[in-house]
Amino acid sequence: MKFLSSDERKTVGGSNYIELQYCRLPAGTAKKRIVSPDAIRHWRDDSLYVRDESGFWAKYHAVFADGLYANLRSGFMDICGINYYAPERLGPILERLYAAKPADYEPLAEWLEKAKANNGFYILGI
C-alpha cells in the first residue's frame, strides 16, 4: 500500500504495517549508524506499507535474504526489526523477485527500482 499522507494511513489501519523505506543517509555512512533506530524516521509518505496478515514474509522472505540487522548481523527478513539492504543488494533482490514473481510483486519491483537513487532501503518491522 501507498498512502498520500500519515492521516490517510492512520485512517486505513493505524500502525500495524511493515514499512519499506528508502535509506536517505549519504553513501559512505557507517553501517552502525544506518541501522541505528535513531537514524530512522518512520511513516514516510513515499514508503510502501504491508499488512502482516497479507503473508508478506511467506511470499518474500527468500527474495530479501542478507538484510543487515540493528545488531550488525545479517540474515533473512525480520518482520519485527530493522533490516537494511545496501545499494549493491538491489540487483540480486530484483533478480530473485522477477524470477519468483510472487503475488502483487509489480508495485514492489517498481518501488525497488527507485531505491537505486538512494542509499539502499529498509524493511522496518511491525
Side-chain angles (χ1 to χ4, degrees):
M1 300 178 94
K2 287 191 86 166
F3 299 108
L4 299 176
S5 69
S6 290
D7 290 337
E8 180 185 6
R9 176 190 48 79
K10 290 174 188 172
T11 300
V12 173
S15 62
N16 189 26
Y17 293 99
I18 298 165
E19 180 178 4
L20 285 80
Q21 181 184 108
Y22 299 127
C23 177
R24 292 178 172 81
L25 295 171
T29 300
K31 300 292 187 209
K32 186 174 182 175
R33 172 79 177 129
I34 288 174
V35 295
S36 168
D38 295 335
I40 298 167
R41 195 181 109 225
H42 293 273
W43 311 119
R44 294 201 178 255
D45 289 342
D46 62 351
S47 291
L48 285 182
Y49 297 94
V50 180
R51 287 225 178 255
D52 183 40
E53 57 269 9
S54 70
F56 183 75
W57 192 89
K59 292 176 195 171
Y60 291 97
H61 77 277
V63 171
F64 294 107
D66 301 326
L68 183 66
Y69 307 141
N71 64 5
L72 299 178
R73 293 188 178 160
S74 294
F76 286 104
M77 175 178 43
D78 175 6
I79 62 168
C80 295
I82 296 170
N83 306 264
Y84 169 70
Y85 300 87
E88 62 269 13
R89 301 298 311 138
L90 279 164
I93 288 169
L94 284 164
E95 287 176 17
R96 289 191 295 269
L97 181 64
Y98 288 129
K101 295 183 180 175
D104 302 319
Y105 80 95
E106 293 94 346
L108 175 59
E110 181 181 320
W111 187 90
L112 286 169
E113 291 287 349
K114 293 177 185 173
K116 293 176 181 177
N118 294 280
N119 188 12
F121 68 98
Y122 298 103
I123 296 178
L124 304 172
I126 298 171

